[in-house]
Amino acid sequence: MLASEAVPLAKTGGLADVVGALAVELTRLGHEVRLVLPRYRGLEDGPVALRETHRFRVPLRHDHVEVALETGTLKGDKGPVVCVRYDPFFDRPGLYGDAAGDYPDNLDRFALFCRAAIEACKELGWAPDIVHAHDWQTALAIVYLKTLYQSDTTWTAPRTLFTIHNMGYQGLFPPAEYPATGLPAADFTAGGLEFYGQINLLKGGMIYADLLNTVSPTYAKEIQTPEYGYRLEGVLQTRKDRLFGIINGIDYDVWNPTTDAHISANYSQKDMSGKKTCKTALRRELKLPQRDVPLLGMVSRLALQKGIDLLVDTLPKLLALDVQMVMLGSGDALYQAELTNLSERFVGKFAVRLGFDDGLAHRIEAGADMFVMPSRYEPCGLNQLYSLRYGTIPVVRKTGGLADTVVPYLPGHAVEKATGFVFEDAHPEVLLSTLYLALQVYRDKTEWADLIKRGMKQDFSWKRSAKEYVALYERALVETKPAAPPDRDTFPRGRFR
Ligand code: ADP
Ligand code: GLC
């Protein structure tokens, strides 16, 4: 399992939650999983004790560099982690960039990581049945297996699954950087990594993987259209019989109001009294007055994807009502400024915290009455799932995984099945009227309690989704031809030599 981030080691967003939890669940199901990550700065003080086990040389541009493998075990014996250590690339303050923007050598960084991950299998004497790579950062591993390693007879080539978490991040680089990939010029074509003159790593993964998936059935359909495909819809259409949608699960140990150590009081469906305590504590933490009014929450990357502009345009009218809202976010400087302005204009009603704060994210999920996600697109989204679990009613736009996981409250129409509020048009007035509806239902204590109860009963644990991944792995093993002829004597599959 190759990824650029995974909980509990490194996280900037939902990718980390998903990869970390999926690896653990697959291990629990009895599979032999190696989670491979770059060895970022700070991991030495992290929750996994890492120990250097191997050193070897890996090709990089016209040279080789020496990398180290550091291995450790996820707490509770939940499976091994392998980190690729190359300090000039990964001993940096950020995962992908810093305040000045993306690191200019990201292509070199992740090309080296992918190459080293494959070489690591050989160093470890371990040939996986499946290489499962996530997002553009690890797409080259899939390309390498089907090109540079195609005729490698020392092992049974693994089958590959590529998971697309977000079409908005494709790993685009100027063509002059192509030598960093180490690939032959023949792969820089319209049928390969070339994309309107640039290098596109996501496209590479999409073309070379045996099977593809994304993180919800609706998003799997959406990305085959120009609106959501970001100019790769044509490529996806050609592979549509190999493209699947699997809804993300959530880690029920980490996100559990009954045991959550980040929140002021624990609670459960049976005894919700702790949720009130959490609401009071959240107001205190964010310096909002203690008033008996609905409290809305949001935790988000501040990016166009998340519909922050819709929220900004809606807030003045929303905050004219007797409500309060708390927001935690990091990202785009423009949105940061707009949200800060609004918090200064609506003191005591709208509180903003800028930055990344895992504990506060939990406290918002627990303390808020409603959770707002007006995403312009959302491959899956995890916060609406956390919200359901925490008895916090999601108000979401009908797109991607949000459409697949929140059952809309429609007055007079099967309200007994509803778990949240859903709107379709990405327009501030439509968001506003949906929030009005939610606030109206909030006043009906019985109706609201029913919504909470239904939401908390939903099952979005990894159990189901991990099994769907296993089914895809099996399908890849059965349906796709191996990239290289099997040679079990020299490199047995799934076993140490
Ligand atoms: P995405 O991966 O697109 O950002 P998801 O909803 O899948 O969206 O996952 C976001 C994850 O990152 C959630 O676990 C959420 O709680 C967390 N998160 C986002 N922004 C912050 C923040 N500023 N501080 C703490 N956690 C955050
Ligand atoms: C991406 C998506 C988000 C998804 C997450 C994990 O970052 O934006 O919707 O939940 O990946 O799959």
Side-chain angles (χ1 to χ4, degrees), residues 314-325 342-343 346 349-350 432:
T314 306
L315 276 177
K317 281 189 186 157
L318 176 74
L319 295 169
L321 305 175
D322 209 5
V323 299
Q324 295 174 327
M325 177 156 186
L342 282 163
S343 70
F346 293 97
K349 288 198 135 185
F350 180 51
L432 189 64

Side-chain angles (χ1 to χ4, degrees), residues 44-361:
E44 62 278 14
D45 304 320
V48 178
L50 294 169
R51 190 172 60 86
E52 186 179 312
T53 52
H54 298 76
R55 270 182 179 272
F56 52 95
R57 288 166 69 73
V58 179
L60 176 67
R61 293 205 180 232
H62 300 300
D63 206 349
H64 283 74
V65 296
E66 190 179 64
V67 305
L69 288 188
E70 293 188 359
T71 52
T73 307
L74 290 168
K75 216 167 71 194
D77 207 14
K78 288 180 173 165
V81 179
V82 179
C83 289
V84 172
R85 180 161 190 172
Y86 182 63
D87 285 349
F89 281 178
F90 299 115
D91 182 18
R92 298 187 186 178
L95 269 51
Y96 315 121
D98 54 24
D102 287 346
Y103 293 131
D105 58 352
N106 271 345
L107 181 58
D108 289 86
R109 295 173 79 227
F110 288 102
L112 178 76
F113 172 69
C114 291
R115 198 73 194 260
I118 298 174
E119 291 295 327
C121 295
K122 305 203 158 204
E123 285 296 317
L124 292 166
W126 189 73
D129 294 302
I130 301 284
V131 166
H132 183 174
H134 298 262
D135 275 354
W136 68 263
Q137 295 90 338
T138 57
L140 276 175
I142 286 178
V143 180
Y144 292 155
L145 285 168
K146 289 287 156 69
T147 53
L148 306 182
Y149 293 81
Q150 168 85 31
S151 48
D152 186 334
T153 53
T154 60
W155 69 348
T156 305
R159 313 296 166 80
T160 53
L161 174 66
F162 184 50
T163 302
I164 301 163
H165 292 262
N166 197 325
M167 293 296 295
Y169 302 87
Q170 300 187 356
L172 294 172
F173 299 94
E177 297 298 315
Y178 192 70
T181 64
L183 291 166
D187 291 297
F188 191 62
T189 59
L193 275 75
E194 191 269 337
F195 178 76
Y196 299 95
Q198 288 192 292
I199 304 163
N200 186 323
L201 298 187
L202 195 77
K203 184 183 174 205
M206 283 163 45
I207 288 177
Y208 290 86
D210 291 323
L211 296 181
L212 298 172
N213 84 292
T214 185
V215 287
S216 68
T218 294
Y219 194 59
K221 285 194 207 112
E222 286 173 341
I223 59 181
Q224 296 177 49
T225 68
E227 189 183 351
Y228 294 96
Y230 286 84
R231 302 206 287 178
L232 284 171
E233 60 276 8
V235 177
L236 286 164
Q237 281 157 17
T238 64
R239 302 222 64 202
K240 65 170 186 269
D241 56 330
R242 300 269 155 142
L243 170 63
F244 302 86
I246 301 181
I247 203 86
N248 288 331
I250 56 171
D251 189 325
Y252 271 26
D253 293 333
V254 178
W255 295 90
N256 182 351
T258 333
T259 53
D260 194 330
H262 293 291
I263 62 181
S264 307
N266 293 116
Y267 59 92
S268 66
Q269 230 183 98
K270 284 203 189 87
D271 179 5
M272 291 293 286
S273 55
K275 188 160 174 66
K276 256 200 180 131
T277 314
C278 292
K279 185 170 173 180
T280 307
L282 180 61
R283 283 193 175 115
R284 193 180 314 121
E285 181 174 357
L286 276 291
K287 302 197 170 40
L288 290 174
Q290 298 295 348
R291 301 195 48 243
D292 186 19
V293 296
L295 178 60
L296 285 73
M298 184 160 173
V299 179
S300 184
R301 284 188 291 113
L302 302 180
L304 183 73
Q305 171 193 350
K306 301 294 179 180
I308 309 295
D309 56 325
L310 297 180
L311 182 80
V312 165
D313 290 347
T314 306
L315 276 177
K317 281 189 186 157
L318 176 74
L319 295 169
L321 305 175
D322 209 5
V323 299
Q324 295 174 327
M325 177 156 186
V326 297
M327 165 114 198
L328 168 65
S330 61
D332 201 315
L334 181 75
Y335 294 136
Q336 294 194 30
E338 287 179 336
L339 291 166
T340 306
N341 280 343
L342 282 163
S343 70
E344 285 162 0
R345 197 170 138 200
F346 293 97
V347 178
K349 288 198 135 185
F350 180 51
V352 176
R353 286 288 174 280
L354 299 176
F356 198 89
D357 183 342
D358 189 41
L360 181 55

